[in-house]
């Protein structure tokens, strides 16, 4: 089936609430773009802004998916704070990895100063600047105020986890710092490059596989909410939030609904919750994205992936604010190219409106 | 204090994640001439078992298990020097590690504390461990069991490589291999030629005990 809209037309229409020709595909392919381009490791991709941008543009064109370029800080949101980051120059690595955290105790944490985007994140600024200049309407990963991107980006995760019980005030200090950082970063981009971009955050270490919904509600939600509100106030179109892993208890406690995504905002859960359930709970407020499970994308056959996509599309396609076919988390960087194509092909075949 | 009461208090202190109380109670157990191995197994380990069951049932969370493990180690610190290895009954050496490219180590750390509590001799290589590191340690330390953890579809593909390497080096028969982590299944474990799999820490302990028995029988 031939597409009637270009990827960019489809993406913009979805975001604007206008009709689209078929279900858009947002595989959240980031590292995969580097393997498509023949890089053996993800090192160059993550550390060099021009490589990150080029790989994504070409992969998008090659596969015909609708996800705009999706930009991550080459310093992985930790370097700017003084955390040591290992760039993924080893073949086995699938993302950069924080090694030595900026703060290992209360004193170090209290002394940390919120980084300055221009001075401390020049590569990210360059990356976001060029994508907006090229009118790519990018997704820009802005994150703070959540556990994710506070631990392990500032403080080691296990330490942070223990603090939630022993020293919650330290958790709050750390969360306040990253919240301020996220707001500052978004303000910088809005002031310098305008608001034609969509902020994104992803929240694996806020999941209920790690922390209680009560803890999330008490210490995380107020900060996440503040960051979302302040960034929306800048005039960006909406938020895209990926609730990574199991957030069922956070959902049941009503916390997720309290964190604004804008109008309509894009909500994306992992495969722990079905598209049917997401549609029912959030479809009236948000664009729903998801959620073919990553293990199948990595090891399943073309036909298996196609079947899963078909099921997802059939359930999600009539969601009130729109639906996009996506993976349950990042599209695995070394999954077969045919499984990425399977997503696009399935949307063309089963997702026509 | 009666032995039973003191062990019960140790269990409670581990469950509560109260490391000061754990240390105090362990010292008290020694002062009162109680068997340190029994204090560890019937007191502390029981607490850790309760916690990992609770985690599995969604009643306890990661901060809780981490604090309980910390409390357990505090008591172990006191008790272990007084434990005669011969008394322990379990004489198994377990080598643990998260495969290369994977930094998800919380599950592995939980496993380690359960194994430690169960009286295994645990060597922990940490996370993001290269295949050669596993092999060198196996040659040097001769563990009975190798426990490999992977949390990502991208990193789990490192497991069969490690097993293959062991085969090539003639070490495969010398060590039982068990695998685990969220994306791993019984089927996958079988497919890559591992000897055991478990979906969580309590079952991992059982699997390890089973493999150990098998190994002894074979020897
Ligand atoms: C916490 C977390 C993180 C933390 C890890 C911190 C740390 N020090 O561990 C941080 C934020 C750093 C992180 C980073 C990333 N993560 Co992550 N993360 C998680 C999360 C939410 C929870 C894992 C966890 O700690 N669980 C709690 C513990 C207690 O459980 P467990 O690990 O499963 O272990 C138990 C059992 O599995 C078993 N077990 C474990 N090991 C073994 C071994 C043996 C021998 C046996 C018998 C049993 C056994 O016993 C344990 C105790 O009961 C999972 C979600 C999930 N569903 O697992 C994602 C998840 C694993 N992450 C994922 C991804 C993609 C990433 C990143 C690539 C994200 C990115 N693009 O940056 C990076 C990569 C990091 C890297 N190179 O490894 C994906 C993996 C998808 C895939 N491809 O398969 C997951 C599944 C999220 C998702 N829904 O898609 N992550």
């Amino acid at each position: 089936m031939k597409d009637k809209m270009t990827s960019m037309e489809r993406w913009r229409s979805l975001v604007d609430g206008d009709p689209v020709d078929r279900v858009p595909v947002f595989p959240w392919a980031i590292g995969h773009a580097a393997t498509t381009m023949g890089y053996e490791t993800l090192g160059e991709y993550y550390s060099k802004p021009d490589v990150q941008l080029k790989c994504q543009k070409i992969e998008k064109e090659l596969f015909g998916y609708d996800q705009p370029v999706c930009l991550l800080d080459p310093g992985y949101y930790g370097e700017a704070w003084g955390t040591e980051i290992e760039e993924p120059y080893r073949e086995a690595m699938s993302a950069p990895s924080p090694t030595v955290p900026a703060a290992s105790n209360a004193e170090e944490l209290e002394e940390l100063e919120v980084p300055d985007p221009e001075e401390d994140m020049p590569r990210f600024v360059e990356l976001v600047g060029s994508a907006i200049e090229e009118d790519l309407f990018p997704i820009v990963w802005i994150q703070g105020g959540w556990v994710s991107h506070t631990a392990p980006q500032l403080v080691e995760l296990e330490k942070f986890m223990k603090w939630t019980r022993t020293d919650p005030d330290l958790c709050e200090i750390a969360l306040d710092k990253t919240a301020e950082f996220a707001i500052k970063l978004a303000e910088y981009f809005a002031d310098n490059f305008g608001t034609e971009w969509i902020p994104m955050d992803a929240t694996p270490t806020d999941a209920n596989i790690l922390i209680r919904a009560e803890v999330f509600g008490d210490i995380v939600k107020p900060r996440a909410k503040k960051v979302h509100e302040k960034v929306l106030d800048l005039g960006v179109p909406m938020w895209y939030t990926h609730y990574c892993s199991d957030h069922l208890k956070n959902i049941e406690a009503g916390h997720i609904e309290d964190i604004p995504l804008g109008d309509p905002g894009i909500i994306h859960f992992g495969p722990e919750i079905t598209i049917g359930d997401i549609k029912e709970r959030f479809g009236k407020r948000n664009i729903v994205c998801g959620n073919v499970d990553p293990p199948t994308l990595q090891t399943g056959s073309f036909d298996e992936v196609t079947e899963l996509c078909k099921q997802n599309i059939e359930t999600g396609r009539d969601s009130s604010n729109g639906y996009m076919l996506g993976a349950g988390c990042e599209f695995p960087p070394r999954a077969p190219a045919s499984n990425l194509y399977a997503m696009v092909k399935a949307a063309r075949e089963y997702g026509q409106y | 204090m009666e032995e039973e009461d003191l062990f019960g208090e140790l269990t409670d202190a581990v469950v509560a994640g109260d490391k000061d109380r754990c240390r105090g109670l362990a010292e008290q157990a020694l002062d009162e001439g109680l068997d340190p191995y029994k204090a560890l197994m019937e007191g502390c380990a029981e607490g850790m078992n309760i916690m990992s069951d609770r985690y599995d049932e969604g009643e306890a969370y990661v901060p809780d298990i981490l604090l309980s493990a910390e409390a357990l180690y505090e008591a172990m610190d006191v008790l272990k020097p007084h434990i005669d290895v011969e008394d322990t009954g379990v004489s198994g050496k377990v080598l643990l590690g998260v495969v290369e490219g994977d930094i998800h180590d919380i599950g592995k750390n939980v496993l380690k504390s359960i194994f430690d509590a169960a009286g295994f001799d645990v060597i922990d290589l940490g996370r993001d461990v290269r295949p050669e590191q596993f092999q060198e340690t196996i040659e040097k330390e001769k563990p009975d069991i190798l426990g490999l953890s992977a949390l990502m579809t991208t990193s789990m593909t490192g497991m069969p490589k490690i097993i293959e390497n062991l085969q090539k080096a003639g070490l495969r028969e010398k060590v039982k291999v068990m695998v685990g982590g969220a994306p791993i299944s019984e089927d996958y474990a079988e497919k890559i030629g591992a000897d055991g799999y478990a979906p969580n820490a309590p079952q991992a302990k059982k699997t390890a005990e089973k493999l150990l028995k098998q190994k002894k029988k074979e020897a």
Side-chain angles (χ1 to χ4, degrees):
Chain A
M1 190 78 77
K2 221 168 161 284
D3 283 337
K4 293 181 209 79
M5 292 174 125
T6 65
S7 288
M8 190 48 88
E9 284 165 356
R10 192 175 299 112
W11 170 241
R12 286 205 179 254
S13 295
L14 177 80
V15 164
D16 291 343
D18 294 333
V20 288
D21 57 343
R22 63 153 167 88
V23 164
V25 182
F26 194 110
W28 193 12
I30 44 180
H32 194 270
T35 52
T36 291
M37 294 286 282
Y39 286 97
E40 274 175 22
T41 76
L42 306 185
E44 296 286 291
Y45 172 85
Y46 271 103
S47 53
K48 302 203 169 131
D50 53 332
V51 176
Q52 194 179 132
L53 199 55
K54 180 146 196 185
C55 289
Q56 287 211 32
K57 277 162 57 181
I58 292 181
E59 188 181 68
K60 175 180 160 68
E61 195 180 314
L62 186 60
F63 287 93
Y65 55 64
D66 308 294
Q67 163 199 326
V69 295
C70 194
L71 310 176
L72 264 85
D73 171 28
Y76 217 50
Y77 305 85
E79 196 180 67
W81 291 92
T83 288
E84 277 176 38
I85 304 289
E86 183 187 353
E87 296 287 358
Y89 278 102
R90 281 183 287 132
E91 218 179 312
M93 294 176 78
S94 54
S97 169
T99 51
V100 186
S104 57
N105 53 42
E107 294 74 51
E108 285 176 9
L109 176 65
E110 272 155 28
E111 274 168 23
L112 282 183
E113 274 181 39
V114 176
D116 175 68
E118 199 164 83
E119 257 173 49
D120 302 317
M121 312 176 90
R123 289 181 296 173
F124 194 33
V125 167
E126 177 193 329
L127 179 60
V128 174
S130 12
I132 298 176
E133 210 162 278
E134 285 185 45
D135 268 338
L136 299 176
F137 197 21
I139 300 274
V140 180
W141 197 322
I142 300 278
Q143 187 158 321
W146 305 75
V147 181
S148 311
H149 282 193
T150 302
Q153 267 75 2
L154 250 67
V155 183
E156 203 235 329
L157 183 61
E158 287 198 3
K159 186 162 286 175
F160 191 95
M161 288 289 125
K162 288 188 241 171
W163 281 353
T164 60
R165 260 185 56 184
T166 59
D167 302 89
D169 50 319
L170 292 180
C171 295
E172 299 195 63
I173 292 174
L175 292 168
D176 278 334
K177 286 194 194 261
T178 58
E180 197 187 322
F181 172 55
I183 295 165
K184 196 165 158 183
L185 189 59
E187 274 170 0
Y188 179 88
F189 289 147
D191 289 349
N192 288 277
F193 309 129
T195 52
E196 280 290 283
W197 52 278
I198 291 182
M200 171 174 191
D201 46 16
T203 64
T205 53
D206 295 271
N208 303 122
I209 200 166
L210 301 179
I211 59 170
R212 290 191 147 70
E214 292 80 6
V215 172
F216 182 84
D218 287 347
I219 68 171
V220 182
K221 186 172 81 176
R223 276 111 187 151
K225 209 171 146 190
K226 178 172 150 195
V227 170
H228 275 220
E229 280 163 359
K230 292 258 182 201
V231 174
L232 287 170
D233 287 346
L234 298 172
V236 295
M238 63 185 69
W239 272 94
Y240 178 146
T241 297
H242 171 48
Y243 285 98
C244 190
S245 184
D246 181 352
H247 283 267
L248 289 174
K249 289 180 179 155
N250 287 338
I251 296 177
E252 276 155 23
H255 297 326
I256 305 301
E257 276 156 60
D258 288 345
I259 300 169
L261 295 179
D263 187 16
I266 302 167
I267 199 155
H268 177 197
F269 288 93
E272 291 80 2
I273 164 166
T274 66
I275 286 294
D277 286 345
I278 304 168
K279 186 173 87 173
E280 206 182 299
R281 283 195 106 113
F282 298 96
K284 291 209 173 59
R285 314 152 47 122
N286 306 126
I287 298 170
V288 167
C289 175
N291 58 5
V292 182
D293 77 287
T296 306
L297 293 170
Q298 171 82 38
T299 57
S301 67
F302 182 84
D303 292 342
E304 282 165 342
V305 173
T306 302
E307 181 54 34
L308 274 182
C309 291
K310 183 174 173 230
Q311 288 167 13
N312 273 290
I313 291 168
E314 282 169 356
T315 317
R317 54 176 295 150
D318 62 350
S319 194
S320 326
N321 278 292
Y323 163 72
M324 37 191 209
L325 177 66
C329 193
E330 180 187 350
F331 187 90
R334 289 184 177 79
S338 50
N339 286 349
L340 185 49
Y341 177 59
M343 294 180 78
V344 178
K345 191 169 158 75
R348 287 187 182 138
E349 246 159 63
Y350 309 110
Q352 297 291 336
Y353 285 111
Chain B
M1 206 188 291
E2 290 287 318
E3 180 180 274
E4 226 171 86
D5 295 337
L6 201 146
F7 292 172
E9 287 212 16
L10 260 175
T11 303
D12 292 347
V14 170
V15 168
D18 186 339
K19 59 180 178 183
D20 294 338
R21 212 168 109 222
C22 256
R23 174 168 284 272
L25 288 163
E27 282 162 354
Q28 193 180 336
L30 290 180
D31 287 346
E32 294 184 11
L34 302 181
D35 177 356
Y37 181 66
K38 248 174 119 182
L40 189 62
M41 300 315 288
E42 288 171 28
C44 308
E46 186 47 29
M48 215 48 225
N49 290 340
I50 294 176
M51 286 311 283
S52 72
D53 283 341
R54 282 195 190 163
Y55 175 77
D56 240 45
E57 281 149 23
E59 286 162 19
Y61 290 78
V62 164
D64 309 316
I65 323 192
L66 293 175
L67 287 172
S68 290
E70 212 171 73
L72 164 84
Y73 287 124
E74 201 72 21
M76 266 175 73
D77 229 28
V78 177
L79 299 170
K80 250 205 161 154
H82 301 274
I83 297 177
D84 199 341
V85 188
E86 310 262 294
D87 294 346
T88 59
V90 222
S91 53
K93 205 184 224 187
V94 182
L95 177 64
L96 284 180
V98 181
V99 302
E100 185 175 13
D102 200 325
I103 62 164
H104 296 90
D105 62 355
I106 295 178
K108 185 268 297 161
N109 293 347
V110 172
L111 226 59
K112 174 175 160 27
S113 58
I114 287 288
F115 284 172
D116 273 328
F120 288 101
D121 181 4
V122 185
I123 308 168
D124 179 10
L125 288 180
R127 58 195 195 186
D128 191 8
V129 180
R130 294 163 214 230
E132 312 85 68
Q133 257 170 293
F134 281 115
Q135 191 160 325
E136 283 160 20
T137 317
I138 290 172
E139 280 167 12
K140 205 167 121 216
E141 300 282 347
K142 308 194 170 35
D144 301 294
I145 295 174
L146 168 64
L148 298 173
S149 179
L151 265 284
M152 300 191 294
T153 43
T154 43
S155 60
M156 72 192 224
T157 52
M159 289 176 164
K161 283 185 210 143
I162 296 169
I163 297 179
E164 238 168 71
N165 283 356
L166 291 180
Q167 230 135 22
K168 281 191 200 137
L171 293 166
R172 183 65 188 89
E173 305 307 317
K174 301 205 162 79
V175 64
K176 293 282 176 197
V177 181
M178 59 192 249
V179 294
I184 311 296
S185 62
E186 189 96 57
D187 282 354
Y188 185 73
E190 204 169 302
K191 195 172 122 198
I192 64 171
D195 304 302
Y197 156 80
N200 53 36
Q203 292 197 30
K205 194 176 85 178
K206 288 192 194 126
T207 306
E209 283 161 354
K210 198 182 83 195
L211 290 177
L212 209 56
K213 264 197 209 133
Q214 257 179 34
K215 187 156 185 271
K216 290 211 168 113
K217 235 197 226 153
E218 286 165 13

